[in-house]
Structure formats: C-alpha cells, structure tokens
Amino acid sequence: MRCKAFWKSHLQCCKEFQARCLRGRKGESLLILGAGRLLDADVPFLLSVFEQLLLLDADPGALEELKKNRDLRAAGARVQYLLQDVTGSIESWTEELEGLLFNKCEESSLTEFLQQLRPYDSPQVKAQVVLSLNLLGQIPLYWRDRVHALLLDQYGLDTDVDGKYAPALQAALDASCAALQLGHLEMLKSTAAETIMLIFDREYCYYRRDQAPWRVESAMYCSNVEAALAPYQACERDSWLWHIAPQGVEASDHGEIHVVEAHAFRHEK
Ligand SMILES: C[S@@+](CC[C@H](N)C(=O)[O-])C[C@H]1O[C@@H](n2cnc3c(N)ncnc32)[C@H](O)[C@@H]1O
C-alpha cells in the first residue's frame, strides 16, 4: 500500500468510528458502498456483527482482491460482491456527452446539457445498515475526469491552469457533480436502512513544505448532507485529517491532506 505509515491513523479512525456506531448491535445485513480493498474496515469485527455483508464497488480489480481475503472467503455465502457503478449514471451520461460532441454542438448547448443532468436509477439494494466508505468525494471526480478528457480529445477545449473552464460551463459541470453527490445520498435512503454511516472527504488541502499558506478545495459540491438525509437523524459524528500523499512521495513539489468527516444517522421506524 502506498504511504502505509501515513494512512495508518486514517484507517484506524475509520474502523473505530464504525465500531463506535455498531457497539452492542447484532444485525442482519450491512451494505458497504466503495468497499474497494476494505483497508478502512475491520472485516472480522463486521462479520461478527452482521449475518450478511454486501460489498459494492465499480473496480473489478478491487473486488477480485477482496475475494482473496481469508476471513471473507471463510464466510462463504454470507458475503456478496456487487460490481456496479453506485451512481447508475456515469456510463449513460458519458454516451450522451459523446453524442453531443460528435454533432459538434455549441458551447452553450454543452452548458445546457451539463446543467440539466439528473442521476438515473442507482442500484437498488436493501440492507439494515449501509456504510458509504470514503466514496462520496470520489464520485464526481470520475465524472469530471471523463468530461475533461472528452472535451479535450473531441472538442479541443482545455481547462485553465487551475483546472477550470469558462464560468458558465464550469458552473454547469459543478452542478452535474452536485447532482451525482445528491443522488448518492438519495441512494443511501433508498436502502431503507435503519442506520446510515457515511465517511467522506470534506476538503482537499495542498501544502508545500517551504510555504505556510495551504490551498484548500472543497470535495463537496452539495452543501448540506444532514438536510439531504432527512428524515434520518444525526446520531454520531467525528472528523480527522488523512495525510494521503506526503510531499515527495506522489509529487515532489506538494503534498496532500484530506479533511475527513464521519457521520451516522438513524431512522426510527
Ligand atoms: C477512496 S476508495 C475507498 C477506500 C476503500 N474502502 C478501500 O479501503 O480500498 C473509493 C472506492 O470507491 C470506488 N468508487 C469510486 N466511484 C465509484 C462509483 N461510481 N461506483 C462504485 N464505486 C466507486 C473506487 O473504486 C474505490 O474502491
């Protein structure tokens, strides 16, 4: 694992938050969205609490790795692996965008297209507890990177040095990213879970060893997570720093730290 020593406290904080939220509970099913390689979850503990684990990720390589995990293998049919895009939208949106670019549309049509995008149906999975695991901040990045690549390759349009387009187009792209994040929060509610746990990046901070000021970017395109999850009620909360890429490891000229938030919500039936 890259930067193992630097990730240790983040991974530990994720596991402790989950343990705190699940203390004293016995459950039927846990759905983990963004399971990846489950570095940020305590698999034996989760298997001791839940009868069934449903592990969803869009990365086939990550799920193949998980299938080699000794504890998960021993749990047999109690564990299901779901290879899916949690948004249900990114492939379809990409095809629609390719169609528009193929027809050499005006930039204003591109802006309109991005502005009106709404998520398609997300995967429908029911579970007693759902955990969105370091995923919410990543969801728009996949879409944004595809838009950047397509606009550059098929439209000859690049961003400025700060990675931004002209204001109207940038605002429309940001709106599509917000729609994806809000769609994810709706998807969490659609599981009908009694408890929702959500661990996500709130901010990305970039530093240089030789400069005091940091550059801070929001990882969130939609602002109010608690309001979006109503009628679920917040019951636990934590926050910490994740030194994800120390300067000199990924890049020589800067390092990156994420501000992580963890929330749990309950819905009394
Ligand atoms: C930062 S990683 C989370 C860490 C992961 N729990 C682990 O320990 O490896 C984010 C995970 O979300 C997955 N992901 C990102 N966008 C996704 C999407 N639209 N649908 C499903 N999974 C997605 C990635 O493949 C990755 O495994």
Side-chain angles (χ1 to χ4, degrees):
M1 191 210 322
R2 279 179 318 161
C3 313
K4 194 172 177 188
F6 291 88
W7 288 26
K8 199 171 164 198
S9 73
H10 161 70
L11 300 180
Q12 193 56 30
C13 285
C14 290
K15 292 173 192 174
E16 283 170 8
F17 182 77
Q18 293 159 41
R20 199 156 67 243
C21 295
L22 297 172
R23 193 176 295 134
R25 290 188 57 160
K26 278 280 168 202
E28 287 158 18
S29 53
L30 169 68
L31 167 63
I32 303 186
L33 305 169
R37 287 166 175 76
L38 280 183
L39 303 171
D40 38 18
D42 180 345
V43 171
F45 167 72
L46 294 177
L47 284 168
S48 74
V49 175
F50 292 98
E51 233 357 86
Q52 196 181 29
L53 296 191
L54 305 155
L55 308 176
L56 184 147
D57 203 281
D59 177 0
L63 290 188
E64 285 311 311
E65 275 297 309
L66 276 189
K67 287 179 188 167
K68 295 181 196 154
N69 176 294
R70 202 159 11 116
D71 297 303
L72 294 173
R73 274 190 13 219
R78 290 174 59 206
V79 184
Q80 283 180 35
Y81 303 88
L82 310 171
L83 177 61
Q84 288 184 34
D85 167 16
V86 77
T87 72
S89 304
I90 292 178
E91 276 310 319
S92 309
W93 285 11
T94 304
E95 282 168 23
E96 290 171 38
L97 177 59
E98 283 170 338
L100 202 62
L101 297 176
F102 184 76
N103 291 317
K104 303 278 174 253
C105 65
E106 299 284 323
E107 194 169 314
S108 58
S109 309
L110 203 53
T111 301
E112 260 170 51
F113 164 76
L114 290 170
Q115 191 72 49
Q116 55 76 45
L117 282 173
R118 293 294 171 269
Y120 287 96
D121 285 341
S122 305
Q124 295 294 305
V125 190
K126 301 286 179 214
Q128 222 175 24
V129 177
V130 60
L131 167 61
S132 171
L133 194 49
N134 291 303
L135 169 65
L136 186 62
Q138 279 220 341
I139 285 175
L141 301 186
Y142 277 43
W143 166 240
R144 187 201 63 186
D145 290 350
R146 282 194 184 199
V147 173
H148 282 180
L150 283 172
L151 292 195
L152 187 60
D153 291 352
Q154 298 187 20
Y155 203 68
L157 184 63
D158 203 353
T159 57
D160 63 18
V161 283
D162 295 322
K164 304 287 182 200
Y165 295 112
L169 182 58
Q170 185 60 45
L173 176 57
D174 290 350
S176 66
C177 290
L180 285 178
Q181 286 187 326
L182 283 169
H184 183 60
L185 298 174
E186 284 300 321
M187 191 258 176
L188 296 178
K189 292 198 283 187
S190 79
T191 60
E194 181 190 298
T195 301
I196 292 174
M197 293 186 285
L198 184 58
I199 301 179
F200 63 99
D201 294 329
R202 168 68 69 180
E203 285 176 340
Y204 304 134
C205 307
Y206 303 92
Y207 67 88
R208 288 177 62 111
R209 270 196 221 109
D210 55 354
Q211 286 179 10
W214 299 34
R215 185 163 63 81
V216 178
E217 269 177 23
S218 179
M220 294 298 294
Y221 292 85
C222 61
S223 50
N224 197 337
V225 170
E226 293 197 6
L229 285 176
Y232 282 80
Q233 302 271 323
C235 57
E236 284 280 351
R237 191 196 158 120
D238 204 348
S239 181
W240 58 83
L241 298 178
W242 178 10
H243 199 173
I244 189 166
Q247 183 171 355
V249 176
E250 295 277 305
S252 59
D253 62 342
H254 71 274
E256 189 175 336
I257 293 177
H258 291 185
V259 176
V260 178
E261 286 187 15
H263 297 254
F265 300 86
R266 291 232 161 87
H267 192 202
E268 305 305 338
K269 305 260 151 113

